[in-house]
Amino acid sequence: NDLQHAQRLGSLIEETPDLQLMAPIELSAVCFRYVSGAHTENDLNRLNSEILRRIVERGNVYLSNATLQSRFCLRACVVNHRTTNSDIDRVVAEVLAVAKEVDNAK
């Protein structure tokens, strides 16, 4: 189920124009980032770092991070046997909601 949930999250990310999948999904880890707007790589790294900080603070979903080719990524790792499709769907919604908060704070 964890592998299927990771694939589901990858599909949702690929369907969302403001998100970018950063690596193939081979197990249950999904690395992605928020990319909306014209940003430099440094801007995107800072933006995604701030998004992660706020997501963890809010406590609705839990993400960690990874750095791939000097790019800061959000990282979801599905490892709980109680995870549901609705939990996975909330990840994208939460990232977009927090990204909107960060954009509005500028």
Side-chain angles (χ1 to χ4, degrees), residues 51-81:
I51 289 170
L52 177 61
R53 186 187 68 76
R54 291 182 186 214
I55 284 174
V56 171
E57 235 174 46
R58 287 166 60 131
N60 296 322
V61 299
Y62 183 78
L63 299 177
S64 61
N65 68 289
T67 302
L68 301 174
Q69 298 178 342
S70 301
R71 294 176 175 154
F72 184 95
C73 304
L74 305 172
R75 180 178 174 270
C77 190
V78 186
V79 294
N80 188 327
H81 68 279

Side-chain angles (χ1 to χ4, degrees), residues 16 18-19 34 51 55 91-101:
T16 306
D18 291 341
L19 300 178
Y34 180 78
I51 289 170
I55 284 174
V91 171
V92 169
E94 186 73 7
V95 169
L96 295 176
V98 170
K100 184 176 180 180
E101 285 179 8

Side-chain angles (χ1 to χ4, degrees), residues 15-56:
E15 294 169 4
T16 306
D18 291 341
L19 300 178
Q20 178 183 33
L21 192 61
M22 297 300 292
I25 302 166
E26 296 175 357
L27 294 172
S28 66
V30 182
C31 295
F32 65 103
R33 66 182 180 166
Y34 180 78
V35 294
S36 184
H39 299 283
T40 66
E41 285 301 325
N42 286 337
D43 290 341
L44 286 170
N45 288 342
R46 284 191 295 273
L47 174 62
N48 281 278
S49 179
E50 178 62 16
I51 289 170
L52 177 61
R53 186 187 68 76
R54 291 182 186 214
I55 284 174
V56 171

